[in-house]
Amino acid sequence: MIGYSELESRARLVYDKVEHTEVCSIGFWFLNGSVDENKEQKGYAHFIEHILFKGTQNKTTSEIARCFDRIGSNFNAFTEKETTCFYCTFPSKHIEYAINLLSEIIFSPLFEKSEIQKEKNVIISEIHEYEELPDENSYDLFLKKMWHPYSLGYKITGEIKDVKKIKRDSLFDFYADRYTPEKLILAVAGNFDIKKTIDLFNRALPQKKKQAAFVPARIKPESKYSFKYHHSPIKQIHINTGIAFPTSAEMKTYYILLFFSTLAGESMSSRLFQKLREESGLCYSIYSYRSIFTHSSMWNIYANTLPDIYHDFMTKLNTELSGFLLDKFKKSEIEDARTHLEGGLILSQEDMELRMKRLARHYIFNGRSYSFEDSLEILYSVSLNDIYDFINRYFLNKKFNTLIYGNIQMINCKKYDIMIKG
């Protein structure tokens, strides 16, 4: 049963009560991410995700870890472009303990200078780790080229130079302005007493301020077309290519995009995987994925291949993209994709953490969450004509932004106009 409540602190609660489980998952979702940073604040949201676990007025870092371990919980946090989430999955009987612990960590942090300095080293190590992963590093460079100078292109962690110059006072000011109940979505899924849980949140969360701090509105970004080669002395060539289009708050549009991407490249039976890897042997990895933000969304493709077959791969990729229109998706492909997505929905029903995350993402996306039955109804309403209308509206004959990453001295740096031609 899905329900909603606005709490006394002005935080918004969305919940899904599930009777057949003894598990509960809670997420504190703040509507802040790397897009909300300016040039002097790069990496702040991600740094705050780390530093909030480094001590409160009553608990040290190690005590916080022991508190989570004591109840057998799975706790974690992550920072995205537009959200920061702190979450915990635990036996339902510990819900009061979990709410109080998460609330203390998030709303009563110390921000000690010594901990900030230690965490700088941790995050710099994290950045180096990602820079040594060509798929991750190439993606960050791809976004930077595509969205520069807008903050949507900022690296979520910030660059090393950004992390090194972070000061305690400016970091705390960023936190105090943005990590408030007014900017908070609480998502709860599992077996819990609804009234008791609302009361627990009302007691645990700080009360609303007389005047909320000013937070600048998000600027609508404009993607900039580019086709770039980036040299790295590695053995493979990594391809990131994709296109941006306006975000729609309609849930059916979301499912049309999901349906299309599943057919195109998000499953092992998808066109791109079958045609470029299985039939042609032109790559090891190839998949498509979707990203949805406040103003803009993206549909992207990632692949890696060898230098001596790189040009064959790029030619074949263009052929298969245009083939979406020339060799239309068959009825069997449509039904396989539909049952694949239905299966994913069914499996996610049994995982309270996934259920909690879906609740929050739906609510952030368009102001309501959808039950399994509602989601299935929308999924089955998507037709082949809907998919082709979507392709024609947003993708047809539009050049994809592209970044080619690898040892470019081993290939002819020819430009390709990647697109769905029709």
Side-chain angles (χ1 to χ4, degrees):
M1 180 184 70
I2 293 176
Y4 312 88
S5 179
E6 182 166 330
L7 303 178
E8 293 172 4
S9 60
R10 290 199 294 197
R12 286 159 287 171
L13 170 66
V14 54
Y15 56 83
D16 187 5
K17 182 172 172 59
V18 183
E19 298 284 358
H20 66 266
T21 182
E22 295 182 13
V23 176
C24 189
S25 186
I26 292 176
F28 284 61
W29 295 72
F30 288 93
L31 304 180
N32 306 285
S34 57
V35 300
D36 302 299
E37 300 164 353
N38 62 35
K39 292 179 181 179
E40 302 304 316
Q41 299 166 335
K42 291 180 180 179
Y44 274 35
H46 177 257
F47 205 103
I48 286 169
E49 174 215 316
H50 279 239
I51 207 65
L52 293 193
F53 288 97
K54 300 304 175 182
T56 70
Q57 297 292 335
N58 299 315
K59 293 180 178 66
T60 65
T61 303
S62 60
E63 286 171 341
I64 289 171
R66 284 198 296 273
C67 286
F68 281 115
D69 288 345
R70 188 174 295 134
I71 60 172
S73 69
N74 171 31
F75 76 96
N76 214 329
F78 55 85
T79 307
E80 299 179 328
K81 295 291 186 181
E82 296 189 333
T83 58
T84 306
C85 177
F86 305 86
Y87 66 94
C88 182
T89 303
F90 52 90
S92 296
K93 66 180 181 179
H94 296 305
I95 189 167
E96 181 173 0
Y97 186 95
I99 289 174
N100 289 336
L101 180 57
L102 281 167
S103 298
E104 180 182 349
I105 290 166
I106 293 166
F107 293 110
S108 301
L110 290 179
F111 276 76
E112 287 185 334
K113 289 184 178 180
S114 59
E115 291 292 343
I116 289 173
Q117 188 56 47
K118 284 191 289 186
E119 209 57 29
K120 285 184 180 183
N121 295 330
V122 172
I123 292 173
I124 288 170
S125 295
E126 180 183 358
I127 294 171
H128 279 308
E129 179 179 324
Y130 280 114
E131 287 178 343
E132 292 176 3
L133 299 172
D135 53 340
E136 296 283 353
N137 198 33
S138 64
Y139 177 66
D140 283 337
L141 290 168
F142 167 72
L143 291 184
K144 184 177 181 180
K145 295 288 185 185
M146 185 170 182
W147 293 108
H148 182 79
Y150 297 97
S151 57
L152 195 54
Y154 291 177
K155 187 184 291 187
I156 290 173
T157 58
E159 303 289 352
I160 290 173
K161 61 181 175 62
D162 301 318
V163 175
K164 286 182 175 179
K165 70 180 183 181
I166 288 176
K167 303 295 184 185
R168 192 265 181 196
D169 289 348
S170 58
L171 185 69
F172 184 82
D173 288 345
F174 185 91
Y175 159 81
D177 284 348
R178 291 162 170 79
Y179 293 77
T180 64
E182 297 94 330
K183 299 278 287 182
L184 174 62
I185 307 297
L186 291 158
V188 185
N191 198 344
F192 58 94
D193 181 277
I194 296 169
K195 184 179 184 306
K196 177 184 175 182
T197 301
I198 292 173
D199 290 341
L200 288 170
F201 278 124
N202 279 331
R203 291 201 300 269
L205 269 57
Q207 296 304 300
K208 62 185 179 182
K209 299 177 182 179
K210 291 182 180 179
Q211 184 174 359
F214 170 73
V215 178
R218 287 174 179 163
I219 298 171
K220 183 178 180 180
E222 295 181 8
S223 65
K224 180 177 64 177
Y225 171 74
S226 66
F227 185 102
K228 298 289 185 182
Y229 283 89
H230 184 92
H231 179 73
S232 178
I234 57 177
K235 294 181 179 179
Q236 285 187 312
I237 303 298
H238 296 259
I239 299 101
N240 283 277
T241 187
I243 189 166
F245 51 95
T247 293
S248 168
E250 293 292 327
M251 189 54 75
K252 182 168 182 178
T253 304
Y254 170 87
Y255 271 98
I256 292 170
L257 173 60
L258 174 60
F259 214 126
F260 162 69
S261 194
T262 300
L263 287 164
E266 283 197 43
S267 65
M268 289 183 65
S269 60
S270 65
R271 282 282 184 94
L272 294 178
F273 188 88
Q274 286 296 314
K275 296 293 186 180
L276 281 102
R277 173 176 160 151
E278 298 297 271
E279 293 183 15
S280 304
L282 291 173
C283 59
Y284 173 68
S285 295
I286 182 166
Y287 56 84
S288 64
Y289 56 98
R290 304 143 286 115
S291 302
I292 298 174
F293 308 111
T294 299
H295 298 295
S296 295
S297 298
M298 296 189 298
W299 184 66
N300 296 339
I301 299 166
Y302 165 80
N304 56 42
T305 189
L306 298 172
D308 58 349
I309 56 174
Y310 160 71
H311 291 291
D312 292 335
F313 171 87
M314 295 296 279
T315 301
K316 181 68 171 174
L317 175 61
N318 252 342
T319 299
E320 294 306 325
L321 287 175
S322 295
F324 294 160
L325 296 177
L326 299 173
D327 180 18
K328 292 198 171 184
F329 295 114
K330 300 176 177 62
K331 183 178 180 180
S332 60
E333 291 178 280
I334 297 292
E335 293 313 309
D336 284 349
R338 201 186 305 276
T339 53
H340 171 80
L341 293 170
E342 179 182 3
L345 283 172
I346 293 170
L347 292 175
S348 70
Q349 285 291 96
E350 302 303 315
D351 187 319
M352 294 306 112
E353 184 179 311
L354 288 178
R355 209 159 169 154
M356 177 275 292
K357 290 177 178 177
R358 190 176 71 243
L359 271 180
R361 292 194 187 282
H362 282 184
Y363 188 84
I364 292 167
F365 180 61
N366 74 349
R368 64 162 287 193
S369 296
Y370 291 78
S371 67
F372 170 78
E373 293 77 16
D374 290 338
S375 297
L376 206 59
E377 183 179 347
I378 299 170
L379 175 64
Y380 271 84
S381 75
V382 175
S383 69
L384 185 59
N385 285 338
D386 291 328
I387 294 169
Y388 280 108
D389 286 346
F390 185 88
I391 294 172
N392 289 331
R393 181 175 183 183
Y394 293 117
F395 299 157
L396 186 60
N397 295 325
K398 296 177 181 177
K399 294 180 182 179
F400 285 28
N401 289 271
T402 305
L403 180 82
I404 310 300
Y405 180 97
N407 192 338
I408 62 175
Q409 296 172 357
M410 300 177 67
I411 59 176
N412 173 22
C413 294
K414 172 184 174 182
K415 182 181 177 182
Y416 289 88
D417 289 333
I418 305 297
M419 66 174 71
I420 298 175
K421 297 177 183 176

